[in-house]
Amino acid sequence: MVAPLKGHTNFVTSVAFSPDSTFIVSGSDDHTLCVWDAKTGTQVVPPLQGHKGSVNSVAFSPDGTHIVSGSEDQTVRIWDAISGIELIPPFQQLDESVCAVTFSPDGTCIAFGSNDHLVHICDAKSGNEVLPPFTGHFYPVNSVAFSSDGTCIVSGSGDNTVRVWDTKSGNEIMQPLHGHNDIVQSVSFSPDGTCIVSGSDDRTVRVWDAQSGSEDMNQFQGHNNVVNSVAFSPDGTLLVSGSADMTVRVWNVKSGIEVLPPLYGHDDTVHSVAFSADGTHIVSGSADNTVRVWDVVSGVEVIPPFCHASSVHSVAFSPNSTYIVSGSDDCTVYVWNLESHTEMVPQLRGHDGTVSSVAFASDGRIIISGTDKTLYLWDAINGVLFSSFAPPLSSDHFLLSFVPSVVYQLSHNSAVSPIIILKDGWLVDLSGKMIIMKLPATVNCTCSVTFGKTLAIGTLGGQVIILQFPEALFNSPETQLVGVAQNVPLII
């Protein structure tokens, strides 16, 4: 285990591994980037200086030779990962900070949205604009995403609209999509390019036909308080959500309709929900100190609740659907045997704060748990702690949840690749294989779950945000997987 990497003089906003996991790059509010040896924790080059504002996002190039960074100083910069030298002049001397950044599916271009109300496309090698900025929005562009074939870009803005652009001409290919009554925080294309999803501060999720612009789906409306947790069923047809309204709700993903009456039983906020791997059960954890298991078909509780000594913040099923892991305000992690209704191993102790996130590795042999500043890895069989990771984050950057490794089953590597989602919207790939992104500043994340290449996030505003990751990130060789995350969709 490497000791915490110390060198920044202000809070760390973004981190990423090199493709071969040899190096780590971090960006900070101190305006610098640091490159670290992942094994020794020492800096391999002096801090990379050039930005004049907080470094909001960092990532390695697919071949690990370059680093890209985006900043509040309105610039995007490319660095040599070995020497630390800035390779080309900063991308786009803008008048406003960059809100959202994404690579094209083939990695040749970078699109980003900014507080200047524009969508920009630049060549990833030269930094030159490929096209003039796309104009049309009247407020900051909070989210941008490419279609899987790279021919279109969708953007969401503070002007409450969703717009779709042709990447060759820069023209809008249809009228602005109106329907949201508040800021659009996230947008994304479906993997097949037929649908666009958008999420907004109006607490709705909308799905649009990518050809006609007509709404394809009902809004996911039903909760009357903050949505704390969301999860897809294994086949992707259902979505479960847990809320501060003390209910668990199950939705048909295509229709947006609840397939069951609200699941009542908890006496306080529902913090976390998850489907079993076989899709037959739902587990929920609550501020009432309990973990409850529900039948997906009937909505009935199948066993008496499991109990912590304090509020339960995160729950997850093992890959074989036999065990449940839960994390709590009582600083413990429990592993429960669903069949015997007993603890599988003694309490996992070591955290000194609320265990805000737990997850099983894809093979079920590792448990991942996190507090506000520390990630722990446990042996799921005997409960032994064998590794921990403690990035130097400030109290404003609580670790909230981990994306299971199924999202990142690389073509040549099936290792665990959790993403840490931070309270203020940073997504950090601890394995370094890919992804580093920043959600809009107005998004306060509370929970997350994945299905295939789709990430769903619950927010403090009662929204459900859905992010879809580009196909290219999954089908390329391992050396092609690093880069700034495709700014995928926020679905509200």
Side-chain angles (χ1 to χ4, degrees), residues 91-287:
F91 286 24
Q92 298 298 328
Q93 295 291 344
L94 303 172
D95 295 326
E96 299 286 348
S97 61
V98 177
C99 299
V101 182
T102 182
F103 269 98
S104 61
D106 61 8
T108 61
C109 297
I110 294 173
F112 56 93
S114 171
N115 276 342
D116 63 7
H117 312 171
L118 304 175
V119 176
H120 303 262
I121 299 184
C122 294
D123 182 271
K125 291 185 177 179
S126 68
N128 296 329
E129 280 192 315
V130 175
L131 290 170
F134 301 173
T135 60
H137 286 297
F138 301 105
Y139 281 86
V141 178
N142 297 320
S143 181
V144 291
F146 278 92
S147 59
S148 58
D149 61 5
T151 61
C152 299
I153 291 174
V154 61
S155 59
S157 168
D159 62 13
N160 304 354
T161 70
V162 175
R163 295 172 188 260
V164 186
W165 315 83
D166 182 277
T167 56
K168 297 295 183 183
S169 67
N171 296 326
E172 289 188 68
I173 63 175
M174 63 181 71
Q175 293 296 312
L177 309 185
H178 293 278
H180 287 297
N181 300 316
D182 209 333
I183 296 171
V184 178
Q185 298 287 12
S186 182
V187 291
S188 179
F189 277 95
S190 61
D192 61 7
T194 61
C195 296
I196 293 168
V197 66
S198 59
S200 164
D201 277 0
D202 64 10
R203 302 191 179 188
T204 68
V205 176
R206 295 174 185 265
V207 178
W208 317 80
D209 184 286
Q211 297 298 317
S212 67
S214 61
E215 281 198 70
D216 263 1
M217 195 168 79
N218 294 329
Q219 303 171 25
F220 288 46
Q221 294 183 321
H223 288 297
N224 54 34
N225 210 325
V226 174
V227 176
N228 290 319
S229 184
V230 289
F232 282 102
S233 62
D235 62 5
T237 61
L238 301 177
L239 184 75
V240 62
S241 56
S243 170
D245 64 10
M246 299 184 287
T247 70
V248 175
R249 295 172 187 261
V250 186
W251 315 80
N252 181 290
V253 172
K254 289 186 177 180
S255 68
I257 297 173
E258 290 188 71
V259 299
L260 291 170
L263 308 186
Y264 293 100
H266 287 295
D267 299 322
D268 207 331
T269 295
V270 178
H271 286 303
S272 182
V273 292
F275 273 96
S276 60
D278 59 13
T280 61
H281 295 108
I282 292 168
V283 62
S284 57
S286 168

Side-chain angles (χ1 to χ4, degrees), residues 20-86:
D20 60 4
S21 299
T22 303
F23 302 107
I24 296 170
V25 62
S26 56
S28 169
D29 220 35
D30 65 10
H31 306 180
T32 71
L33 291 76
C34 290
V35 184
W36 315 82
D37 185 297
K39 290 185 179 180
T40 65
T42 58
Q43 292 191 48
V44 298
V45 293
L48 311 187
Q49 298 182 342
H51 284 298
K52 297 177 174 61
S54 176
V55 180
N56 293 330
S57 182
V58 293
F60 278 91
S61 63
D63 61 6
T65 62
H66 298 159
I67 294 169
V68 62
S69 58
S71 169
E72 291 290 334
D73 67 6
Q74 302 124 34
T75 68
V76 176
R77 297 172 187 260
I78 302 294
W79 314 80
D80 185 284
I82 305 302
S83 66
I85 295 174
E86 194 170 352

Side-chain angles (χ1 to χ4, degrees), residues 316-374:
F317 272 98
S318 63
N320 64 6
S321 303
T322 303
Y323 305 106
I324 293 170
V325 61
S326 57
S328 168
D329 262 351
D330 61 16
C331 307
T332 67
V333 176
Y334 277 85
V335 185
W336 312 94
N337 187 310
L338 186 58
E339 296 179 350
S340 66
H341 198 249
T342 59
E343 293 178 50
M344 177 182 170
V345 294
Q347 301 171 11
L348 308 185
R349 294 185 176 274
H351 288 295
D352 57 5
T354 296
V355 181
S356 56
S357 183
V358 292
F360 278 94
S362 56
D363 61 3
R365 299 176 63 182
I366 297 173
I367 291 171
I368 308 164
S369 61
T371 58
D372 60 347
K373 293 185 178 180
T374 308

